[in-house]
Amino acid sequence: MTTQALTLETHDETVKDGIVLIDFWADWCGPCKQFAPVFEQASETHGDITFTKVDTEDQQQLAARYGITSIPTLVAYRDGIPVFGQPGALPAPALEQLIEQVRALDMDQVKQQYAQALEAERAKQQAQAAPQARGVRAGTDPAAF
């Protein structure tokens, strides 16, 4: 299997099932060009994994959604859950090790931890919004209303 382009429009459908690796890159990026053949070779070796590439120049909204500030950045999903994200070009052995680690994940445990993390984030956002909703200023900064 070869790599495929990932866009904002195809993202959610692409990452929802199985293992998906996303390579954020740009044409002007030297380390991206070094990592590209490593990523391509892995895509040919692991036909059961979806290998995708995001051109950060063309897909700026998608790169912003991930908060990409350094490229290349590699992100891994399994069954719709992001399980890895790291900037920097990986050598082939490190990419192979990552793939094996993603395959070996106990997804029942990962899903439970992910649900807990989402709930904690929702609670945090609600707690931050509550004082402002009641007209109470957050903090002591006079400009913070």
Side-chain angles (χ1 to χ4, degrees), residues 30-113:
C32 298
K33 289 180 181 183
Q34 291 175 328
F35 182 59
V38 171
F39 195 71
E40 186 68 34
Q41 177 60 44
S43 77
E44 293 170 9
T45 304
H46 301 282
D48 60 321
I49 296 175
T50 302
F51 286 78
T52 65
K53 295 179 79 65
V54 175
D55 179 346
T56 57
E57 295 293 315
D58 182 56
Q59 293 295 314
Q60 292 180 10
Q61 285 183 311
L62 186 54
R65 181 173 168 184
Y66 278 85
I68 301 298
T69 58
S70 180
I71 54 174
T73 291
L74 183 64
V75 174
Y77 275 80
R78 180 146 171 218
D79 300 336
I81 298 174
V83 295
F84 175 85
Q86 176 179 305
L90 295 177
L95 181 56
E96 288 299 318
Q97 185 177 26
L98 171 65
I99 289 169
E100 293 311 312
Q101 289 173 351
V102 171
R103 284 186 204 273
L105 288 171
D106 176 346
M107 287 310 293
D108 289 334
Q109 183 180 13
V110 170
K111 288 175 184 177
Q112 182 181 14
Q113 290 171 343

Side-chain angles (χ1 to χ4, degrees), residues 1 8 23 46 72 80 90 97 110 117 134 143 145:
M1 178 177 227
L8 189 60
D23 173 23
H46 301 282
L90 295 177
Q97 185 177 26
V110 170
R134 293 190 309 261
F145 286 96

